[in-house]
Amino acid sequence: MVSEEGGGHRQGCGLEVLELDLGEAAGVAVRGELELATAAALSAALDDAIRTSEGPFVIDLSNVGFLDSSGIACLMRARALLGRDERELGLICPPGSARRALELTGVDELVALYGSRDDFTCSR
């Protein structure tokens, strides 16, 4: 999967963040649990990826097993950083517990959610 996603890589605390290239949009694919223990590492990885990219940005949460309020705060912080430059954020998150958390907290009303990478690509 690393070759498919471009090779950029950051890992630690049970969290893995890989560079993602979906053509028109830059972004990252996240694996692991997004919680208090991994929030700082995720924020740092997102900051770096956002700072070194342009245009729409995508975060693929397909391989996230757990998402708590700390993880959601990281995602909303990324949205705010992108918003400063009028850049769009999209979240790839298939049905499951992470998507339910995003829907219950109203994130789906602020950020476009896609069920798969194909769904994102077809929406462009």
Side-chain angles (χ1 to χ4, degrees):
M1 193 149 177
V2 171
S3 62
E4 176 183 342
E5 298 182 310
H9 185 264
R10 179 179 284 213
Q11 187 172 3
C13 299
L15 179 73
E16 190 173 18
V17 181
L18 303 168
E19 184 178 317
L20 180 64
D21 182 7
L22 292 176
E24 295 179 19
V28 296
V30 181
R31 294 180 187 165
E33 298 187 349
L34 302 186
E35 58 182 342
L36 183 59
T38 60
L42 177 61
S43 285
L46 290 175
D47 288 355
D48 289 346
I50 289 168
R51 189 174 24 260
T52 60
S53 65
E54 296 179 356
F57 193 84
V58 178
I59 303 171
D60 187 344
L61 304 173
S62 298
N63 293 305
V64 168
F66 180 77
L67 175 64
D68 75 2
S69 60
S70 300
I72 291 172
C74 290
L75 299 174
M76 292 297 89
R77 183 175 182 281
R79 178 183 177 261
L81 289 173
L82 291 161
R84 290 179 186 168
D85 295 323
E86 298 182 15
R87 294 174 63 192
E88 175 189 355
L89 172 63
L91 300 177
I92 298 171
C93 191
S97 62
R99 187 173 187 118
R100 278 193 303 278
L102 295 172
E103 292 170 346
L104 287 172
T105 56
V107 172
D108 62 325
E109 296 176 18
L110 302 172
V111 177
L113 297 183
Y114 303 93
S116 68
R117 291 181 188 180
D118 287 341
D119 289 349
F120 173 79
T121 304
C122 289
S123 73
R124 305 316 289 157

